[in-house]
Amino acid sequence: MGLVVTAASAAVEWVVQSILGSFFTGQLQVWTREVGLTEHVQGLESEMRSMQMVLATTDRRKIDNGPLSESLNELQDVLFDAEDVMDELDYYQLQQQIEGKGSRASACIDPEGSCVSSYTPSLFQQVSSGMNQIIGWAMHGRKRKREEEPTHSIILPLEIKHDISDRIKGILNQLRIKGKPVLEILQLELSCQIAMSKQIQSEPRKPRQTTSLLIERKVYGRDAERDNIIELLTKGKSSDLGVLPLVGVGGVGKTTLARFVYHDQRIKDHFDLRMWVCVSDNFNEKSLTREILEHETGMQYLDNLVDWGFFEEVESHYVMHDLMHDLAEKVSSNECAAIDGLESNKISPSVRHLSIITTAYDKDGPRSFPTKNFENKLQNIRSLQKLRTLMFFGRRSTILLRSLQTLCKELKRLRLLRIYVTVSDISSIHNFLKPHHLRYLEFIVVPVTNMFGHMDIANTSIPQAFTNFFHLQVLDVSSNGNIAVPIGMNKLINLRHLIAHEKVHSAIDSFGKLTCLQKLIFKVQDADSFEIGQLRAMNDLVILGISQLENVKTKKEARSARLMDKEHLEELSLSWNDNMSSGPTEENTRYDVLEGLEPHGNLKHLQLTGYSGATSPTWFASKVTSSQVLHLENCREWRIVQYLEMLPLLRRLKLIRMWNLVEVSIPSYLEELVLVNMPKLENCVGMYGIELTSRIRVLTVKDCPQLNEFVLFHRDHFHAEQKSWFPSLNKLTIGHCYRIIMWKILPLEEMRALKELELIDVPIVEELSVPSLEKLVLIQMRSLQICSGITASPPVQVSTSHVDQNEWISSLRELTVHDCSSLVVSLPIPPSPLMSYLSIKRLSAFPTMEINNRKFTIESDELSELDGRILSFHNLKSLTTVLSTRISYCSDRLAASIRRPFLHSSIPVVAPISISRRSSCRRRFISPSVTSIILPSSTPGFNQLIVLECLVIQKCPNLFQLQISDQANNTSSATNIPALPSLKSLTISSCGIAGRWLTQMLHHVNSLEKLDLFDCPQMKFLLTNQPTEREVTSSLASAEITSAGDEQLLQIPCSLLHSLKRLSISECPDLEFCSGSGGFAGFSSLVQLQIKKCPKLVSALVSETNDNGLLPMSLQDLSLSPLSTNLQSFSHEGLPCLRRLSLCRSQHLKSMQLHSCTSLEYLKILGCRSLVVLEGLSSLRRLDIQMNPELSAAWHLKLQEQEQGSNQDQVFPPSLVELHISNLEGSINSQFLCLPSVTKLAVRDSPALKSIQLKHCMTLEKLEIINCKLLASIEDFHSIINLRSLKVLGTRSLSPYLQQEASGMWFRLESLMIDDATVLSVHLCKQLTSLRILQFWSMGIARLTEEQERALQLLTSLRQLGFSRCQKLESLPANLRSLDFLEVLHIDECRSIRRLPEMGLPPSLSYLDLYGCCEELCMQGRMAETEKLKVEIIYKQ
């Protein structure tokens, strides 16, 4: 109990100290006097200080008093109320300063440019939130010093003033009622303890304790003293014991100065260990020594806790064990709580920090979410009005937002909010939030999955109301989506962390007012609010990126940024948009500008990109001596990099695309060296010795073909001293550097630290010996014959310490071997069950194999039998990422099936293991040897794939045909039929598999949910009723083939009638139901049924009467094609759940009455040439329809009747949001396309269409016009003000109209797909200020024109760029690098493009996708891959 009281009193003391230190100093006290609240505020301060004095005396004292603990908790509640009311006062003061209501707006900035908000979070808050890094980050920061400003006449609205006054009075009253007895009891308890302590020997107490924790955010006027002290401390000898006294009267700032020195980076770098021990007045050697030994013992305790399993050390962090987490939850249960929907834990009425966790339901549909369960728990929380932290985890939590808007009206004290929102939600969140207290706000924008399974791009903006949250310190809007910035973001003067895309940073005008910001990615513009001088007062910056520096014209202008004043700046990136045609004048200008951007000496990371000056700036040697990272890229005029030897702390050096660089001198003690794409580099020199190589962990040298002298691979010492030469090397990459490795035998096995090795086009190496690696890449190693670990025989001439084969295999995680024609791989693949990536291509006598992104592929021209000699099935059974298998022979078809869509998504694609046969001749069904892929009983094969969820067998017309019976006579069915317990999806396509064999297989896949049958001619009879005695007793081992009908009979086992959810049967023209079959009515879980080109099945399912009862009531998605030739009307009863209906190809269907389908949302009608009547669409949301003359005439007649008032029925239902329509003719007026709710319109395959009117499509967001050859204009195009996406293909007649159209909708457009580059005009691109996605499709040009290149540069918001099927396109845009924000580049089947742009790719690029491109381009893509840039290459045969 004593510990409880001690903790409670400490918590109260922390709150008191926080309030006193934050609000009762400086400018806020002046302001409260001016608004007439001095008396009440001073009374509150007096009570606080009295309380502080008593609480300070309880330090480290154990008091056993249960009721006292409860009273302290009650007192703490009152103190939190006091903190809230003072925080509101601070908010109103900030509001008047910022908005200029009676006070200068500039009052929020001190002379040094720092923020002056008076608030620092309480230590109690920091402790409570310490378990969560996000909360800790929100509360982290240095205390600000506030200086008094001249007084002004300030008017606080009377209602606010009276409210605050009354609340302070109430708080004072409560403090006197609850606080006075508590303080008296504490004093009494302490008196008793003091009396008792006199009877025993004890050490004197220290009346005042200090801490190393930074309280002051800024320290003024002490820089000289700080520097003198640091010099005295760091210049002495290491063996010296130095004592440095700081003398001065109380309160002068000795402790503050000591803290200032203690946290200086120079001290951190110089000393291995720092300790803070408080001496105070009583100097006791024994006590001090014990205290020091306790700071060291504490670290030993932490190490022991790691050893004992309480914590896990991960790099520089510690991860808490589950048991410790449970203990922490128990201890903090009065303050912190979580609702997860799974447990019914009681929530304390005093809880202030609440998490709502819905991650368990993220994979389920929204209908399965237990909304009522969560709402009931929320309604039972009695402390909503006390909440200071509210965090949501899980995408499904958006379902709770509506109920929260009611419940959370009481959330008046929130400091931290983390919330998931949809686009429609984000604009209303601020309605239930108060702006006074919020410090941390995180939005996770959830893309909406529409009813068709597509993810809609999130396009939204930060609500304007949030610009009034003046206390906000952290704003996180980094989730996927296009987030726009409102006017007035510069009012958030306390903002420290803006976590968002760079575009958000660059869109804030007058951002220089955000002087507390610690990270900024800034694009210099010509506008006044975006000039480089905005950086002048932003001296808290830690990370700064400045691009488009070509817009800075003079050294004076550059100096206005005052980078030399930014002592906290650690990382600086300076970038110019490269212009290959720049002349001497421009080079001189850039040199002067770089001179003016001299940084502070504390800088640790410097990057220069696109700098065209011939020499480095003068400050390079004197002002960046503390730099640890130097990255120079595309500084094309530099021939020699100077001054590197003057950077003693340099640990990482990156030189990329330094086109004219001839020589570089490497400094000692580097940890990472990257030399990439430097065609003229000849010499890489340095001081020879172990100092040069002992610390190197990463070494990358690529595309330096002239590099001849490379000191790190010194010929005379590399072999002899290999073990000591690179003792720390972890990653080695050598590519297209033909002169630095001159040994046929390359033994690397002594490099025990080496984990990643990449060798690309090193032609001389014949033998390679490596240690136990995690990643091995060998590409174009044409002379390589032997590689330890993957070849059968060990290297001929290697050291005796050859790595054990089992050790080598067990460690390998990634293996790539391409174009190594002399190398013979002798291991079954994959060699290890832990392998996450595998790619083997173009090796002699070995199949192509790949494991990547949840797919496994095998392709071969010669594969005749699949067994354990080639494929290690036992290494696949434990791969939980293996989801599917594909047995196929056509590799082109396979590649097409796993293609990803153009829009880049982080959502993983469920892709297959595939076993295929390649033919270099023709794409046709050949090679009878495919039949021998059957798995014999001696091979476990697919039985090992116990986690397999999806199996696809395709393009094997003879596979398993008439061979099963031969094996069945010799072995049991259990060894021949794959037992796949996890299989959920089975697809059989274009195979000769008999119905009887599949029937038996289905007995072994009890978890099957999806069955697809395509082109299976040996299945002619389908039986779906309940099992008979014959079904139960039959088996593959005992059944005899009594007739062809038995062999061709497919019978669905009863076990699948309740598990099967999706069934598709296509192109089985002879398949029909057996006599007496119940159709699909017994499939109680079936939600999707697709029958295509199976006329006998369709005719049984759908008839004129539609009362056959062969369809289950659970059905939600029904697709039938073609319909019966004699069917003239369709009106199906008994499908109450039907949401999607597709009916295609019916010559005689005239009428569709869908009134009974009350849940129908999607209707697709194609190829129904006689259709005239279409009714019952009241709930429809999407319609795909192919028009015919009769239906068009009927609808036009209905429109005429509407105009005359004789018919109120509309052509399209008001609920419609998506319309795909084809075969339109002539001119379509606005009445026909009166679509008040439609957000997507696709007009396709209408060669006779000449014009359309869209003035009644005000809600339209997506427009597609495809193959409308005569369409020349879109009337009222300017009225589509909400248009976000436009696709125009096969309609070049529309291009001139789009080029010149000055529509107000262009600036909102975010996605554009075109096949005519002439649309890309300067006039149009100037208006496309929000365009994020641009795709060129099937263009017939060799390259963009100069004007089109210039126009492309105007698309400054572009994130994704694609070129698809542009067969004639020979080159990418030359200035592609200048697209600063480009993230994704997609090149699809553009085989004439052979190189990446000479000027390089944009630094912002994070994903490069090459599909079906030439080998030269693919090789360049591989070489361009970095830690930041992911390159995905898919070949197409």
Side-chain angles (χ1 to χ4, degrees), residues 82-93:
E83 186 180 37
D84 287 337
V85 72
M86 293 304 299
D87 200 33
E88 286 184 38
L89 273 177
D90 190 51
Y91 174 86
Y92 291 123
Q93 179 212 198

Side-chain angles (χ1 to χ4, degrees), residues 1130 1151-1155 1163 1173-1178 1198 1209:
F1130 180 90
S1151 173
M1152 290 187 63
Q1153 301 286 342
L1154 302 175
H1155 298 283
L1163 176 62
V1173 178
L1174 180 59
E1175 297 180 352
L1177 311 180
S1178 59
K1198 183 179 289 189
D1209 293 337

Side-chain angles (χ1 to χ4, degrees), residues 265 502 517-522 535 538 540-546 563 566-574 597 599-608 624 626-631 652 654 1428:
Q265 190 61 43
E502 297 172 2
L517 210 59
Q518 297 183 18
K519 178 180 178 180
L520 176 67
I521 308 299
F522 165 52
L535 295 170
M538 302 183 71
D540 283 354
L541 284 170
V542 178
I543 299 175
L544 174 61
I546 311 176
L563 296 189
K566 302 182 185 345
E567 60 180 328
H568 302 295
L569 190 63
E570 296 181 357
E571 185 173 334
L572 175 63
S573 174
L574 304 175
L597 294 174
H600 191 278
N602 289 343
L603 193 70
K604 294 181 175 59
H605 185 139
L606 175 64
Q607 177 172 346
L608 301 180
V624 293
S626 298
S627 287
Q628 300 174 11
V629 180
L630 178 61
H631 183 155
R652 298 170 61 191
K654 295 185 179 182
K1428 179 181 179 182

Side-chain angles (χ1 to χ4, degrees), residues 192-240:
C192 294
Q193 288 194 6
I194 291 172
M196 294 176 61
S197 66
K198 291 180 179 179
Q199 302 174 15
I200 59 176
Q201 183 68 27
S202 64
E203 66 182 53
R205 288 190 69 254
K206 289 178 278 191
R208 177 173 177 263
Q209 292 289 317
T210 63
T211 174
S212 66
L213 182 66
L214 272 174
I215 299 175
E216 302 82 4
R217 182 163 174 79
K218 286 290 184 184
V219 177
Y220 299 96
R222 297 296 187 189
D223 291 359
E225 290 86 346
R226 174 202 61 190
D227 294 341
N228 288 336
I229 293 173
I230 291 174
E231 184 176 3
L232 289 171
L233 292 174
T234 58
K235 296 303 181 182
K237 298 180 180 179
S238 60
S239 60
D240 293 346

